[in-house]
Amino acid sequence: MSGNWDPRTLVATRSASRLFPLLLLAAFVAVVSFVAFHHEPWRDEADPWLYVRDAGLMTILVRTRYAGLPALWFLCLAPLAKLGLAYASQKVLHLTIAAAGVWLLATRSPLSRLTATLLTFSYYMAYEYSVIVRSYALTVLLTFAAAALYRRSRERPIAFALMLLLLFNCNAQGFFIAGTFAALFVIERIERKQIGARDAVAAALMAASAIVAWLQVRTPPDPARQAVMRVFNRDAFAWTVSNAFLPTVPTSVGFLIGVAVLLLITVAIRRSREAVLFLWLPLSVLAIIYSYVWLGGLRHAGFFLLLAIVAIWIAGDRDAELIDRRWAAAAAIALNLSLLVSMLVAMRYWIADVREPFSGAQEMAGFICDQKLDRIPIAAHNLTQAEAVLPWLPGTRFWYAGLGEEGTYMKWDAALERALDVPYPVAEKLSVEHFHGRPWLLLFNVEMPDPAAHGFRLLHATAVPFEKTDERYWLYAPTR
């Protein structure tokens, strides 16, 4: 297929050959699997696993308002945990989801082979949304699947609606992406003045899916403070644009380049109103959320890139002539160069994750198991960092000093917020009082100054993580 490896080509005619997709998928799986099985999960990966392992189905469904996610991701993990499979099984599931997304990208998108390859091995596809286990890989997969179905939504409206049902129930990003797809679906039918019975059923299903998703994440009566904070972050938009296209590059440089990429893509696809709306409607909503509610981090910035990619997909899939070739060449060069930088960032993270710990949780759990210390009660503080140790200790519950109760997963309510505010000396005192006269251990994610003076001896301290530095742990035993 001509122009596939030309850096000036934004989209190209889809090839019937399966060799390129197979090679791309095989390379992706080989690289990402190697990195993933050297990766030490952190608390964002541990909490959903503990949640589905230790909570009942009704608890999972009822407490989605606190978790901030609809139930779909938890229901994907639940069979693995409930069957007693190892913690690593969620990595296998996650890699399968990420690989399916790459397969759709390689076989169904109109992107050139060069762009598809660079995107596959970019930071977000080959690290953030594949190595680190969270709901975002599922959002990427379902977004690609919806994009692949969008062109045929006239013939298969129910299938398209079912795909959006899942996408609505992934996370906030998936909700707004699905909402944009749904809006485009309805607008097209209103303009054509041809709304058949299947179209009406599909539209009703989309609306019901959105309502169900909202009901699952609406603010609970006693949320953690973070869930109700409304402080405007004036740097959020610039930071997000910068890191979407050039992750970890200074914002002063990355923002200008990111804006240039977005504008070039917009001009190139401007003849496709659907594509332009798909890019800018959810991007604007997410920009407001990131600026006013919660920025999150690199994992959220990547969705600006995803929107740009799928906007190109929609324009090229409906009619390649809708893409202005004069501007497409400049857009392709800018996008491919940014993806090349992103791929170099991914390589840096691959090397670091293989050589150094991402989190100290796995090392501390290994020490506790090797020394048979999991049979002894353990007081832990701070609780959000401490929970990352627990997936490797089946049957173990920490006594969370800030909460004053035993547990595993976080409940993300007001009580948790109060527990996070408990100072470490107070947590130490509460633990001493609680376990008075019994053998016990104390787990902190900060170092205790002069433990002997406090009546403790250090049993183990983990290495310094290269990424989650607040997940370095110190385990102490009381000496009196």
Side-chain angles (χ1 to χ4, degrees), residues 421-476:
D421 291 335
V422 173
Y424 287 87
V426 174
E428 175 193 331
K429 179 182 178 182
L430 292 171
S431 301
V432 170
E433 294 172 352
H434 179 75
F435 289 104
H436 180 71
R438 292 179 285 163
W440 64 288
L441 302 173
L442 179 64
L443 179 70
F444 273 178
N445 70 313
V446 300
E447 186 175 10
M448 183 187 297
D450 193 5
H454 290 251
F456 291 91
R457 62 186 176 92
L458 178 66
L459 297 181
H460 185 66
T462 60
V464 179
F466 84 90
E467 181 68 13
K468 299 302 173 184
T469 54
D470 62 343
E471 288 189 12
R472 187 185 181 195
Y473 302 94
W474 287 261
L475 185 66
Y476 299 96

Side-chain angles (χ1 to χ4, degrees), residues 342-406:
S342 184
M343 187 171 71
L344 295 175
V345 174
M347 291 178 179
R348 176 164 60 85
Y349 273 85
W350 296 340
I351 293 169
D353 214 341
V354 169
R355 290 181 174 178
E356 304 172 57
F358 187 89
S359 161
Q362 187 170 357
E363 180 190 340
M364 180 54 75
F367 175 82
I368 291 172
C369 287
D370 291 344
Q371 302 299 315
K372 304 291 192 294
L373 299 176
D374 51 328
R375 303 170 185 175
I376 303 173
I378 298 176
H381 194 69
N382 221 334
L383 65 170
T384 51
Q385 287 87 355
E387 73 160 340
V389 179
L390 283 170
W392 287 281
L393 304 174
T396 297
R397 297 165 65 87
F398 287 157
W399 187 77
Y400 290 126
L403 280 176
E405 62 183 45
E406 283 190 342

